Amino acid sequence: QMDLCIEAFGTSKQKRALSSRRMNTVGNDILSTAVTKAAANVIDAKGVTALIQDVAQDDVQNISIFLPPCNEDADKPTDVYKFEDILSPAEYEALQVPAAVFVNITPEEISKKTDDKSHCSFVLEELKFLPADEKSRDHKARCLWFLDTLIKFSYLKVIKKKHPMGPECPHVISRKLMKNFTSLAYNNGSIQNLISASMKAKITAYVIALALHINNFQTDLTVLQNDLKLQESRMMDIARAMRLKVSKAKELPGLENDQTHKLGTLSLPLPVQKASGSQRKRKKMN
């Protein structure tokens, strides 16, 4: 009714705006229809089995394309995977509010969260060692909150909600997760966001990079592996692709008795990059 009123009595400017909005609506509908039709044609032409095999092959070919930007010419570890490439200034600023719960956390609250398993093991352990300095404490709290969110996000399969990590997650962070860590897939006539194996690898790489910044560029890969629910071989492939030196560590808390800790260290000069295990052996697809 409002549109009819504008058509009959609106100003020239209002009529132009109405015409532009209607054209955009038509354009979006045409684009959506075209994308859906193209996806359906691809599936009809290749078949679902062939597409699954293509995805598997793409996933194992080169892990490095899912890593954070790597500056091989860096003269210090902090510049190899720059913090700004993990969290932009705007994203970092947005973390101040949700991370406040970590800044002011008490030992009793950490103990309760440990019993509840409300956060990943890496974060719960690091919360015990927050710096006393206010600025450093706030910085570490923001990093831990985002790392915990990334790990929880990796557990999802198909993203069905606009804000999958809940209302406490800032909009800019939700947008980052959806844009950078999900793949688009065609299913039952619609396009869906999902976390594929390649996106899981990308999340893992960013988690490792952030953990290195938190832990002075040496971190326990086995704790992160358990938190991310990965096989050790997959974790080691990603760590070595990131040019980390992997070594065995002495027994540390937080792991199963039959596990040996693996430490990942980022130091210069960077090791020569080698082919990953997943490149040498392709997983059989049923």
Side-chain angles (χ1 to χ4, degrees):
Q1 289 176 341
M2 181 63 71
D3 288 350
L4 291 174
C5 287
I6 291 174
E7 282 183 334
F9 308 108
T11 64
S12 296
K13 184 176 181 180
Q14 289 173 326
K15 290 179 180 179
R16 286 197 301 270
L18 174 62
S19 177
S20 177
R21 177 160 55 80
R22 284 176 170 172
M23 289 298 292
N24 285 337
T25 300
V26 172
N28 289 337
D29 290 343
I30 291 172
L31 178 60
S32 177
T33 302
V35 169
T36 301
K37 185 177 180 180
N41 288 340
V42 171
I43 290 176
D44 290 341
K46 298 198 69 171
V48 175
T49 302
L51 286 172
I52 291 174
Q53 290 174 346
D54 285 350
V55 170
Q57 181 63 24
D58 289 343
D59 180 45
V60 302
Q61 275 182 346
N62 196 353
I63 291 175
S64 64
I65 65 175
F66 303 112
L67 305 183
C70 178
N71 178 17
E72 297 189 3
D73 299 323
D75 55 7
K76 51 185 178 180
T78 188
D79 288 338
V80 176
Y81 296 106
K82 292 183 178 180
F83 187 79
E84 294 77 14
D85 289 328
I86 303 169
L87 281 167
S88 71
E91 293 159 355
Y92 182 78
E93 183 65 27
L95 291 172
Q96 181 179 10
V97 173
V101 67
F102 285 172
V103 173
N104 304 311
I105 200 166
T106 65
E108 293 75 20
E109 289 172 329
I110 294 174
S111 178
K112 185 177 185 304
K113 287 180 179 294
T114 301
D115 293 338
D116 296 342
K117 297 182 179 180
S118 55
H119 299 290
C120 65
S121 299
F122 178 90
V123 169
L124 290 169
E125 188 63 25
E126 289 298 324
L127 285 173
K128 299 175 184 177
F129 305 103
L130 289 175
D133 174 71
E134 184 177 345
K135 185 176 180 180
S136 300
R137 188 179 184 90
D138 174 63
H139 173 73
K140 186 171 182 178
R142 296 190 203 197
C143 293
L144 290 175
W145 194 92
F146 181 64
L147 186 145
D148 190 64
T149 300
L150 258 184
I151 289 177
K152 289 176 179 175
F153 187 70
S154 75
Y155 299 158
L156 305 179
K157 300 297 182 183
V158 178
I159 314 300
K160 299 180 179 179
K161 299 179 181 179
K162 187 174 181 181
H163 302 288
M165 304 313 295
E168 70 278 3
C169 184
H171 177 69
V172 67
I173 300 298
S174 292
R175 189 171 62 217
K176 178 187 184 72
L177 295 174
M178 295 295 287
K179 180 180 178 181
N180 295 336
F181 299 107
T182 67
S183 301
L184 292 177
Y186 177 83
N187 184 43
N188 293 331
S190 63
I191 304 297
Q192 294 180 332
N193 291 86
L194 60 88
I195 298 179
S196 61
S198 59
M199 287 297 104
K200 178 89 172 187
K202 185 175 182 180
I203 291 173
T204 301
Y206 277 75
V207 165
I208 292 173
L210 189 54
L212 289 169
H213 278 274
I214 292 171
N215 279 338
N216 199 26
F217 301 97
Q218 182 178 76
T219 195
D220 193 318
L221 296 172
T222 310
V223 171
L224 294 176
Q225 170 202 322
N226 288 348
D227 284 337
L228 287 158
K229 300 178 182 179
L230 288 176
Q231 292 184 346
E232 183 181 89
S233 59
R234 183 65 162 168
M235 191 68 175
M236 295 306 113
D237 280 347
I238 296 170
R240 291 189 175 100
M242 293 181 70
R243 315 288 282 277
L244 302 188
K245 294 178 181 177
V246 178
S247 59
K248 292 183 180 180
K250 295 180 180 179
E251 190 171 330
L252 297 170
L255 291 182
E256 303 295 334
N257 294 331
D258 60 346
Q259 281 189 301
T260 301
H261 286 255
K262 297 289 180 64
L263 289 181
T265 305
L266 181 63
S267 59
L268 299 176
L270 294 174
V272 177
Q273 198 164 20
K274 297 179 181 179
S276 69
S278 59
Q279 287 176 297
R280 293 188 297 269
K281 182 178 180 181
R282 178 176 172 178
K283 183 179 177 181
K284 182 179 180 181
M285 300 296 295
N286 293 324

